[in-house]
Amino acid sequence: MPEEVLFKSESRQSRAEIASYLRAIADKLDAGEPITLKAGSQSVTMDPPTSPTFEVKAEREGPAGKPGELSVEFELEWDEDGGNGGNGGDLQIE
C-alpha cells in the first residue's frame, strides 16, 4: 500500500519542549477533539476515532555491532473507513 505523507516536521527540541507537545496531544485525545499539526505553511487536522491502534516502537538503525541512531516512535493508526487495527497486548511505560 503506497504511503502519502500529509505532514512532516523534524527539529531538535529539548525534552521539556517535546513533553509539552505530547501533553497537548494527550489533552486533545482526552477531550475527544481533533488534532491540528502546523509548521510553516503546512497544516493538517486529524480526528482519531475513540479507539485507534497505538503503536510504540524502539529502534536502532545502523550497522550491526556499531553505534547507530536510536529512536522511540509513537504512532496512532486507524482506517479512514472507520475500521480498527489489531491488539498487541497491554503496554506499560515505566
Side-chain angles (χ1 to χ4, degrees):
M1 177 184 325
E3 178 177 282
E4 176 187 2
V5 176
L6 301 176
F7 178 90
K8 181 174 180 174
S9 174
E10 186 173 333
S11 63
R12 189 168 299 275
Q13 303 278 334
S14 70
R15 285 181 169 199
E17 290 168 322
I18 294 166
S20 179
Y21 286 120
L22 293 174
R23 272 188 213 93
I25 291 170
D27 289 345
K28 292 287 188 179
L29 289 171
D30 272 342
E33 297 175 354
I35 298 166
T36 299
L37 307 171
K38 294 181 184 179
S41 63
Q42 293 186 91
S43 177
V44 67
T45 298
M46 304 193 88
D47 193 4
T50 304
S51 297
T53 298
F54 182 46
E55 179 181 335
V56 179
K57 190 184 326 182
E59 294 181 325
R60 178 187 297 115
E61 293 182 35
K66 295 184 179 180
E69 180 179 87
L70 298 172
S71 67
V72 176
E73 299 176 9
F74 303 97
E75 184 172 287
L76 296 177
E77 293 181 341
W78 62 94
D79 292 333
E80 287 185 277
D81 65 6
N84 289 322
N87 182 1
D90 292 332
L91 171 67
Q92 296 180 23
I93 299 176
E94 299 176 356

